Amino acid sequence: MKVGIIGSGYVGLVAAACFAEMGNKVICVDVDQKKIENLKKGIVPIYEPGIEQLVLENQKKGTLYFTTNIKDSLDEAKVVFIAVGTPMGDDGSADLKFVLQVAKDIGNKMSHHLVVVDKSTVPVGTADLVKEIIQRALSDRNSDLTFDVVSNPEFLKEGAAIDDFMRPDRVVVGASNSDSMNLMKELYAPFTFNHDRFIGMDIRSAEMTKYAANAMLATKISFINEMANICEHVGADINEVRIGIGSDKRIGYQFIYPGCGYGGSCFPKDVKALVNIAQGSGYTPQLILSVEKVNDDQKNILFKKIVSRFGTDLHDKSFAIWGLSFKPGTDDMREAPSISLIKSILSAGGKVNAYDPKAIDQAKFYLKDLDVKYCSDKYESLKNADAIVLVTEWKEFRSPDFEKMAEIMNNKVLIDGRNQFSANQINKHGFEYFQIGVK
Ligand SMILES: NC(=O)c1ccc[n+]([C@@H]2O[C@H](COP(=O)([O-])OP(=O)(O)OC[C@H]3O[C@@H](n4cnc5c(N)ncnc54)[C@H](O)[C@@H]3O)[C@@H](O)[C@H]2O)c1
């Protein structure tokens, strides 16, 4: 099938590469000229395991093309995906300016019947809005071309995006027209080959499903973080409690790791947008508001631990930050807990030596003008450090050389934002060890 993808970010690029890999002809569009020039040369703008190989191979095979001209993609395509960003607006709502601009461009430039797919995460009712805008643009051209708008929210996880797209737990499609629904089934059939994971529903329910899924995951994170904080107050150990509750099949072990709060390009903005959607409809979402509040507080937890160990004046103190991206496996720094932590340390007069296996370039952008020393090796960041603060649980931090660390550091203090180690293991090496949810 001929597929157009508008927006070549994490979602658009992964979708494009995976559809192309299945033999479709995909034309991927972006307004960012530099990004497209680089992609044409095989330079992939994001770190995502497996993406580079798929992009290179499919360009070579002639199944994947990149352009800045939306018309090139619309002229060829049977189905066109909108995969542009929906960042958080000033009032917490999803800012739809990119989506609506694309809708207008589609209406202005389309040349035959199209199925337009909202893949961006958008508030309930956006498909109607997209439909209205495309129709208005067509009417302005005195065109009687036909089109349909469907919703196909994306559930991939950065760091495992290719695998998630190739072997999805489910493909959710909201459509009001059976021909469009069947076209989407056909397009996704190769990805749901061994058993059917295609879930068709009405458009508004599909739009809501994405927010409900992210709100549920954010709720699990804030729930376990709240339990961790209670554990610290009452002298219990959240690591034991986690195992104790996860063994109940109704609860399960997934997504109940205590930590320093969720970040990234999705949970913070989608939780906020859901609050905004609910309040806009006259409903106050009390649980989701609390999930957000707990997370905002949790992003301060590592700094609070630093203060409780070193005091509020951090002049002459130096901190090695291990991990900057919002989670392992990605270079994405959007809303990463490392950002607020580093700003707090610097404002209290402390020094920061930061190391991340993949996110340093992105971090330099998000922390620009701040006096952070970036290190090319995790041990280099320990020179003269008074404490290590482990923020992102990259695999390379799981089994570090503690003897070497002890030799390099000023003070043997490890503040662990991801509860990676056991206290016994750390104490053996003479480190003071601070975890989340353990007194
Ligand atoms: N990143 C994720 O893990 C993830 C997962 C699921 C859903 N989503 C959702 O998918 C959407 C895209 O997210 P992302 O992380 O890929 O965003 P992104 O910011 O990485 O990429 C968006 C791209 O769209 C381009 N763009 C903007 N306006 C354009 C236009 N008029 N024409 C063509 N291109 C245009 C930008 O230049 C950018 O390259 C968002 O709604 C997001 O919430 C993201």
Side-chain angles (χ1 to χ4, degrees):
M1 197 180 296
K2 294 192 172 138
V3 180
I5 309 263
I6 322 284
S8 312
Y10 285 88
V11 167
L13 197 57
V14 168
C18 293
F19 282 135
E21 179 69 4
M22 292 301 182
N24 299 290
K25 181 173 176 187
V26 181
I27 304 189
C28 205
V29 188
D30 206 285
V31 282
D32 184 335
Q33 206 152 351
K34 181 105 187 96
K35 195 179 259 189
I36 292 297
E37 271 167 28
N38 279 336
L39 281 162
K40 281 181 177 169
K41 289 186 220 147
I43 303 167
V44 175
I46 53 169
Y47 172 73
E48 183 61 47
I51 185 86
E52 201 165 273
Q53 194 187 347
L54 280 188
V55 167
L56 292 177
E57 282 175 7
N58 283 288
Q59 279 199 95
K60 209 181 269 173
K61 267 192 274 178
T63 45
L64 180 59
Y65 296 84
F66 293 100
T67 178
T68 51
N69 184 353
I70 190 171
K71 187 148 176 47
D72 290 348
S73 118
L74 299 180
D75 282 348
E76 291 249 355
K78 199 166 183 178
V79 49
V80 61
F81 286 77
I82 303 178
V84 295
T86 46
M88 199 191 296
D90 293 339
D91 59 354
S93 64
D95 184 343
L96 291 177
K97 65 173 177 282
F98 300 119
V99 171
L100 301 184
Q101 179 60 50
V102 171
K104 196 170 171 192
D105 292 346
I106 292 174
N108 283 335
K109 307 265 169 68
M110 63 189 274
S111 54
H112 56 268
H113 178 84
L114 274 178
V115 173
V116 177
V117 185
D118 277 342
K119 189 167 252 325
S120 300
T121 302
V122 289
V124 180
T126 301
D128 291 339
L129 208 54
V130 166
K131 205 173 193 166
E132 217 178 284
I133 289 175
I134 297 177
Q135 188 54 61
R136 206 181 305 143
L138 285 171
S139 305
D140 288 348
R141 288 164 58 190
N142 293 322
S143 164
D144 55 5
L145 287 173
T146 56
F147 66 97
D148 191 28
V149 178
V150 310
S151 164
N152 170 219
E154 181 52 59
F155 298 98
L156 62 77
K157 300 182 287 297
E158 288 179 17
I162 300 290
D163 207 45
D164 285 346
F165 202 95
M166 289 296 200
R167 279 172 285 277
D169 291 334
R170 78 295 211 191
V171 173
V172 170
V173 173
S176 53
N177 169 305
S178 59
D179 287 345
S180 303
M181 188 67 98
N182 288 336
L183 189 80
M184 294 299 282
K185 273 189 188 155
E186 194 188 322
L187 181 63
Y188 275 109
F191 301 93
T192 56
F193 203 54
N194 69 354
H195 67 277
D196 194 10
R197 276 160 285 167
F198 188 96
I199 304 173
M201 57 179 74
D202 68 88
I203 295 175
R204 283 179 175 244
S205 302
E207 289 171 333
M208 184 64 192
T209 298
K210 174 66 191 174
Y211 285 106
N214 277 357
M216 178 71 208
L217 294 171
T219 301
K220 287 185 96 173
I221 295 173
S222 279
F223 170 81
I224 200 69
N225 284 336
E226 184 141 280
M227 292 303 119
N229 295 336
I230 298 173
C231 281
E232 282 194 34
H233 278 83
V234 299
D237 180 337
I238 190 65
N239 300 310
E240 308 285 349
V241 174
R242 179 183 73 77
I243 291 166
I245 62 171
S247 55
D248 183 332
K249 286 197 188 73
R250 293 169 304 174
I251 297 173
Y253 290 108
Q254 284 192 327
F255 254 76
I256 55 165
Y257 289 94
C260 47
Y262 58 75
S265 64
C266 293
F267 290 177
K269 84 170 170 66
D270 292 350
V271 167
K272 263 209 164 55
L274 181 56
V275 167
N276 191 279
I277 293 165
Q279 286 175 335
S281 72
Y283 179 80
T284 303
Q286 297 180 60
L287 177 63
I288 305 307
L289 281 165
S290 302
V291 165
E292 202 186 4
K293 170 85 179 77
V294 169
N295 195 61
D296 287 347
D297 291 348
Q298 201 67 10
K299 282 192 167 177
N300 273 326
I301 197 92
L302 292 176
F303 186 65
K304 279 191 192 152
K305 286 185 186 285
I306 289 176
V307 167
S308 74
R309 171 61 181 77
F310 294 99
T312 48
D313 182 359
L314 300 180
H315 285 94
D316 304 325
K317 297 279 177 281
S318 178
F319 297 88
I321 307 296
W322 279 12
L324 295 166
S325 56
F326 84 92
K327 68 172 183 178
T330 178
D331 60 352
D332 199 337
M333 282 292 296
R334 289 177 277 189
E335 305 279 333
S338 63
I339 297 175
S340 50
L341 171 67
I342 289 173
K343 286 183 177 168
S344 300
I345 296 174
L346 293 173
S347 336
K351 290 196 178 64
V352 170
N353 297 334
Y355 169 73
D356 187 284
K358 297 289 175 198
I360 286 182
D361 286 345
Q362 287 291 320
K364 284 180 180 165
F365 174 75
Y366 281 87
L367 296 166
K368 61 175 169 284
D369 304 328
L370 295 182
D371 189 15
V372 175
K373 183 180 170 211
Y374 295 98
C375 304
S376 53
D377 171 68
K378 61 178 177 287
Y379 298 113
E380 186 196 333
S381 69
L382 300 181
K383 211 167 157 207
N384 300 322
D386 293 287
I388 305 172
V389 191
L390 195 153
V391 185
T392 316
E393 66 277 31
W394 286 93
K395 284 200 182 83
E396 69 170 83
F397 300 143
R398 284 200 191 158
S399 206
D401 183 341
F402 286 104
E403 277 163 29
K404 183 170 172 175
M405 289 155 63
E407 273 170 29
I408 306 172
M409 294 178 70
N410 247 0
N411 252 321
K412 292 198 277 180
V413 176
L414 172 49
I415 299 173
D416 186 351
R418 300 293 172 183
N419 292 11
Q420 287 274 280
F421 306 106
S422 73
N424 284 346
Q425 181 190 8
I426 302 298
N427 294 337
K428 208 169 65 192
H429 296 283
F431 276 77
E432 281 175 70
Y433 186 43
F434 299 88
Q435 299 181 71
I436 309 286
V438 183
K439 207 168 187 177

